[in-house]
Amino acid sequence: MRRRRVDLAERIDLLSRAVDLSEGRIPDDVVVQARAVVERADQRCRIGGDHTVIALAGATGSGKSSTFNALASAELTDPGVRRPTTSKATAAVWGTESAEALLDWLNVPRRHHMGSGDTLDGLVLLDLPDHDSVCIEHRLEVDRLVEMVDMIVWVVDPQKYADAALHTRYLTPLASHSEIMTVVLNQVDHLDKEQRKNCLRDLRRLLDSEGLGKAKMMAISATTGEGVDDMRVALARAVRAKKAQVARLHADLDNVSQRLAEATGDAAGQVSQDSVDQLIAALCTAGGVEPVVEATREAYRRRGHRATGWPVTAWVSRLRPDPLHRLHLDLGSTRKKGRARSTEPTDVQRSALTARVGVAGAKIDTAVRSLASEASEGLPRSWADVVRAASLSHRTDLPDDIDRAVASTDLGVHHGTGWWRLVTVVQWILMIIVVAGLAWLAVDALSAYFQFRLPPVRWHHFPVPTLMVVGGVIAGVVVSLLCQAGVQTGARAAARYARSELRANLADVAWQSVVDPVNAELDHHDEVVTIVAKAS
């Protein structure tokens, strides 16, 4: 099914948005030119009115001004060497409706009001300066107005209709506007029938070869009046149709759409999961995940031994530093288990792993470049550069973000330790029994020394104080040995949990610092592509 063409006002709005969104991401000259065209189209639409602006353009000696006078049936401009040297165009206006606002916008001060009741009512006809004038001001004025008028009539003569300057500077670049262009071969009174036929055929061939197949052609003689009435009829038909203005603006906007599409490209790359995984792996190396996991395992094991082991040996183990404390981790700032993470600089201690970022920096840079290259594949260079810049936008903050993510991770060393308290109570009860037994033995020894014997207390022929000491020690050691299996299992679980949480937190850093900015640029690009496609 044929797609509905977007109306002019909507196209202007869409392309204006596309230009704004593309600024800084495509070449500046494309943005400047596109914005100028879109703003000019918007201004032309806002002026309104039913006038059609048709410009007569041509080279020196082509008879352009004579044609202007012939169409106006009045000597409004001086042709040839008598023509004023002003660099401004001359306007002839037909009809009762005022064209002052339109001519003010066009900046055409020399105006002639031709009255109404003519077939040309609604026409604003401009006689432009010579496009090949030796005065640069004349050529600049032609260039300015050629971009603003609704239709262009190129007046050429048999001697210079193939002039390279005309075709290279104007006709070929305006091939997309051929629908609102007419090429008039003037001075045909100087040609015989065969010469006229050959000139027109050669001119048609030239126009077709330059992509101006839709451009109309006419043959006139402004001097004798031959073909002038036909030209008036053609101009009157264009004015009555009221399509020239819309066709011109659509052609301008087509050019803008094409240039934006070329500068933006069609398809953007994507960030694959493999690239993200490589980046996360590099961040894990930089963040010292494995050393932290190993320290977590050892810390859990030591803390479990202190909590569940024989109190005497547990007290000795306290003299050795905690593995996590050596890394400045788990210093009392613990986090609740959950997926809500943040790498904001709160009250988290700085870890002792920052130096590892520098060591693994090359791996991070490689992973970031690989991710950015993959994401920017297929994009024009300027937009690809923006994507690569987005991937590096947080590069200076990355070491701090990595360190903060590691330092703020709940490593799981406090998980599953509730049973330790029960074992600690049991061990201290056993320790109290041992101490009580030793005290009892000490009392028996003192009483024997002072020859004051206490009656012995036995249980199944075993002295109770000795049984308390030996039994308490054996029971404490056995409980400690039995608990070691649970502590080792918990240490392995804590290590697995720590690895998972560290990787998850560093994955957040990867997304927030690299992947999200890159994806934001890709989404930005896709939005522009969608808008330009809709406006095309």
Side-chain angles (χ1 to χ4, degrees), residues 15-31:
L15 291 175
S16 179
R17 286 171 53 203
V19 171
D20 291 340
L21 291 172
S22 300
E23 189 168 10
R25 294 169 172 83
I26 62 176
D28 291 341
D29 61 322
V30 177
V31 172

Side-chain angles (χ1 to χ4, degrees), residues 292-302 491-492 494-495 499:
V292 173
V293 169
E294 186 58 36
T296 300
R297 181 187 290 108
E298 182 64 17
Y300 189 99
R301 190 186 66 77
R302 290 188 185 183
R492 288 192 292 271
R499 182 180 288 107

Side-chain angles (χ1 to χ4, degrees), residues 335-494:
R335 296 169 62 86
K336 293 181 179 180
K337 181 177 179 181
R339 301 306 299 172
R341 296 181 175 85
S342 172
T343 56
E344 292 299 320
T346 55
D347 57 349
V348 178
Q349 286 278 353
R350 303 292 289 173
S351 79
L353 293 164
T354 307
R356 303 185 65 88
V357 178
V359 175
K363 288 187 177 180
I364 295 177
D365 290 341
T366 299
V368 170
R369 284 196 299 269
S370 176
L371 185 147
S373 296
E374 180 183 58
S376 60
E377 185 177 358
L379 293 178
R381 181 174 179 177
S382 58
W383 210 299
D385 289 342
V386 173
V387 172
R388 284 189 284 269
S391 70
L392 300 172
S393 58
H394 297 278
R395 184 67 183 91
T396 56
D397 299 329
L398 204 52
D400 286 343
D401 291 342
I402 293 172
D403 190 72
R404 195 175 296 121
V406 173
S408 63
T409 300
D410 175 11
L411 299 174
V413 288
H414 303 287
H415 298 176
T417 60
W419 61 278
W420 291 1
R421 299 187 185 91
L422 177 61
V423 175
T424 300
V425 171
V426 170
Q427 289 284 31
W428 277 105
I429 290 174
L430 293 174
M431 189 64 185
I432 290 171
I433 292 173
V434 171
V435 170
L438 290 172
W440 195 338
L441 290 174
V443 171
D444 284 344
L446 288 173
S447 64
Y449 177 79
F450 291 108
Q451 298 181 352
F452 177 73
R453 289 190 174 274
L454 295 175
V457 179
R458 297 178 179 273
W459 183 74
H460 293 286
H461 307 291
F462 289 98
V464 170
T466 303
L467 188 62
M468 290 173 63
V469 173
V470 175
V473 171
I474 293 174
V477 172
V478 170
V479 169
S480 177
L481 292 175
L482 291 176
C483 290
Q484 287 306 303
V487 171
Q488 293 291 353
T489 300
R492 288 192 292 271

Side-chain angles (χ1 to χ4, degrees), residues 122-142:
L123 171 63
V124 176
L125 187 65
L126 302 183
D127 179 22
L128 304 187
D130 301 332
H131 70 74
D132 61 348
S133 173
V134 294
C135 296
I136 185 64
E137 294 84 359
H138 292 197
R139 298 198 299 272
L140 292 175
E141 181 71 354
V142 174

Side-chain angles (χ1 to χ4, degrees), residues 62-64 66-67 155-158 184-188 220-223:
S62 64
K64 169 177 53 62
S66 298
T67 303
V155 180
V156 298
D157 60 79
V184 174
L185 180 63
N186 191 18
Q187 303 176 9
V188 294
I220 70 165
S221 172
T223 303

Side-chain angles (χ1 to χ4, degrees), residues 164-180:
L166 171 64
H167 288 262
T168 303
R169 184 175 175 84
Y170 295 104
L171 295 184
T172 301
L174 288 170
S176 59
H177 294 66
S178 61
E179 186 178 352
I180 49 96

